[in-house]
Amino acid sequence: VQVVYSGGGLVQAGGSLRLSCAASNNIFGRAVIGWYRQAPEKQRELVARISAGGISNYADSVKDRFTISRDNARNTLYLQMHSLKPNDTAVYYCNFIPPNRTLWGQGTQVTVSS
């Protein structure tokens, strides 16, 4: 099983980024999946989740700024991020809800400068 990330990078506060996570072997299927993030010296946290039917939920810290979406045919998960803040800086990961510890991979780094 392989997950390929794209879209991370360095952006100024107030900017936008779009993350994607493409999984092999159709592993996402009909599962609830989501984006997690881990900032330096902090625990990993769930920031957004989405069902196979497209129902989404967000952490309060990202609500109204982030939008999660998925393309079931392409087995790909997306996270559109707007109005980014320095405290959004973290490594972002996609995974199941609850997470599968073998799927974490390297994630994608998002760095927001002030």
Side-chain angles (χ1 to χ4, degrees), residues 49-68:
R49 57 189 285 171
I50 187 168
S51 71
I55 297 173
S56 56
N57 300 95
Y58 300 89
D60 287 343
S61 59
V62 306
K63 202 171 293 184
D64 299 325
R65 298 189 298 121
F66 290 11
T67 302
I68 189 171

Side-chain angles (χ1 to χ4, degrees), residues 3-56:
V3 173
V4 178
Y5 292 95
S6 61
L10 173 64
V11 64
Q12 289 188 331
S16 299
L17 284 173
R18 187 188 193 219
L19 308 181
S20 65
C21 158
S24 63
N25 301 333
N26 198 31
I27 60 167
F28 287 156
R30 304 295 293 174
V32 179
I33 51 180
W35 285 96
Y36 299 76
R37 68 184 180 187
Q38 187 167 21
E41 301 180 358
K42 292 189 177 180
Q43 288 191 335
R44 192 172 288 160
E45 63 173 343
L46 176 65
V47 296
R49 57 189 285 171
I50 187 168
S51 71
I55 297 173
S56 56

Side-chain angles (χ1 to χ4, degrees), residues 84-105:
L84 282 160
K85 305 175 181 179
N87 60 8
D88 292 319
T89 295
V91 179
Y92 285 70
Y93 304 86
C94 64
N95 209 319
F96 295 100
I97 311 297
N100 180 323
R101 64 179 178 85
T102 67
L103 196 63
W104 287 120

